[in-house]
Amino acid sequence: MDFSRALRERRTRRHLSQLDLALRAGTTQRHLSFIESGRSVPGRNMVVRLAESLELPLRERNELLLAAGYAPAYPESALDDPALAPVRTAIGHILRGHLPYPALVVDRAGDLIAANTAFDLITEGAAPRLVGEGTNIYRLALHPDGLAPRIVNLAEWARHILARLGHLEELRSELTGYVPDLEPSAGALGFAVPLRLRSSYGELRLMTTVTTFATAVDVTLAELKLEAFLPADPATAEALLAAAGRTAPSAVAGQAPGKG
């Protein structure tokens, strides 16, 4: 990767001028211009400052350092590394604490790391090969053998899913082929796009929230996402409470967090 070009592409992608980035990084526009033209070679600290000022994900910061000829600054640990044991414990607590509502943890590619037992209501009826630790939740959502036949507002939800896959071009291409060319329903969407899902407890209307480890300095940890579902109406809240009565409240699916 050519460092000058990589830096320039990331700056323009964020709609920042050279002056904007220079001010954020504590340097001059002239110096930054020389770096982007290849006339000046930045030191390691300058590359780190530029990457931080661009608010790049940790993986991209490492890539930028490598492009400039420096070693990566941020480690990338396996999730079962002993150093991440407190993280696995925390994830398990969070998933259990969100019961009776569904919650799950995924990695950068959308592969399932762990989920609580309430997530079983979401996945009911899906093909076994699409469900469980290590499977992809985006594929589960839009595959014809997954949730797609049960999603009432498939057009809106599919657009929501596909918009999250900009960094996963191959997966986005695959999933686009599963989704019919549907027009979103008429009328206002409201303040958020709900997931409207048929279930054995009636139609569920769910909102989602995504949480990340904002202060992470490990690539693996920074890329984990906790996705939690919340009821969008009283009927859904009652359905989730009723479904929780048939599951063990302490159970959390997935191996990694449970090791803590």
Side-chain angles (χ1 to χ4, degrees):
M1 184 190 303
D2 178 77
F3 173 77
S4 300
R5 185 179 72 249
L7 177 62
R8 187 166 54 252
E9 287 177 352
R10 284 159 175 76
R11 176 179 60 77
T12 55
R13 191 193 309 160
R14 283 159 177 74
H15 306 290
L16 292 174
S17 67
Q18 285 186 342
L19 178 59
D20 291 333
L21 180 56
L23 290 173
R24 290 186 180 190
T27 187
T28 65
Q29 182 179 1
R30 184 171 185 268
H31 186 202
L32 181 58
S33 176
F34 278 22
I35 292 173
E36 288 194 355
S37 66
R39 296 171 62 188
S40 178
V41 178
R44 187 175 188 274
N45 287 341
M46 176 55 71
V47 176
V48 171
R49 279 159 48 194
L50 289 169
E52 290 176 346
S53 299
L54 288 167
E55 299 180 346
L56 297 179
L58 299 190
R59 182 178 297 277
E60 285 195 52
R61 297 184 194 188
N62 278 346
E63 291 172 352
L64 208 58
L65 281 162
L66 285 168
Y70 300 108
Y74 306 95
E76 184 174 358
S77 307
L79 192 55
D80 59 0
D81 190 300
L84 294 187
V87 173
R88 298 193 300 270
T89 300
I91 289 174
H93 286 322
I94 293 170
L95 292 177
R96 286 187 289 271
H98 196 65
L99 290 168
Y101 305 146
L104 63 151
V105 176
V106 298
D107 63 15
R108 176 175 182 267
D111 292 340
L112 183 67
I113 301 298
N116 64 15
T117 52
F119 190 58
D120 292 345
L121 187 59
I122 303 292
T123 63
E124 66 177 4
R129 71 181 187 279
L130 299 175
V131 179
E133 183 184 357
T135 59
N136 189 274
I137 64 161
Y138 304 130
R139 183 176 290 111
L140 168 68
L142 300 185
H143 196 284
D145 295 332
L147 306 187
R150 296 169 47 220
I151 297 178
V152 177
N153 58 333
L154 181 58
E156 290 90 348
W157 193 252
R159 290 189 178 197
H160 167 68
I161 293 292
L162 293 174
R164 299 170 63 176
L165 303 182
H167 65 296
L168 301 169
E169 294 182 9
E170 187 174 335
L171 180 62
R172 180 185 171 90
S173 177
E174 175 196 340
L175 300 190
T176 299
Y178 297 145
V179 180
D181 188 16
L182 299 175
E183 288 295 325
S185 57
L189 292 176
F191 59 87
V193 178
L195 170 62
R196 297 178 55 197
L197 187 69
R198 300 182 188 91
S199 80
S200 56
Y201 284 77
E203 182 181 315
L204 305 176
R205 295 177 60 91
L206 298 159
M207 300 180 295
T208 61
T209 64
V210 176
T211 304
T212 60
F213 289 86
T215 58
V217 292
D218 184 281
V219 174
T220 299
L221 181 56
E223 292 178 344
L224 292 182
K225 291 183 174 60
L226 170 70
E227 184 152 355
F229 293 82
L230 295 166
D233 58 30
T236 299
E238 291 177 7
L240 293 172
L241 281 169
R246 65 182 184 185
T247 62
S250 63
V252 176
Q255 296 300 312
K259 291 180 181 177

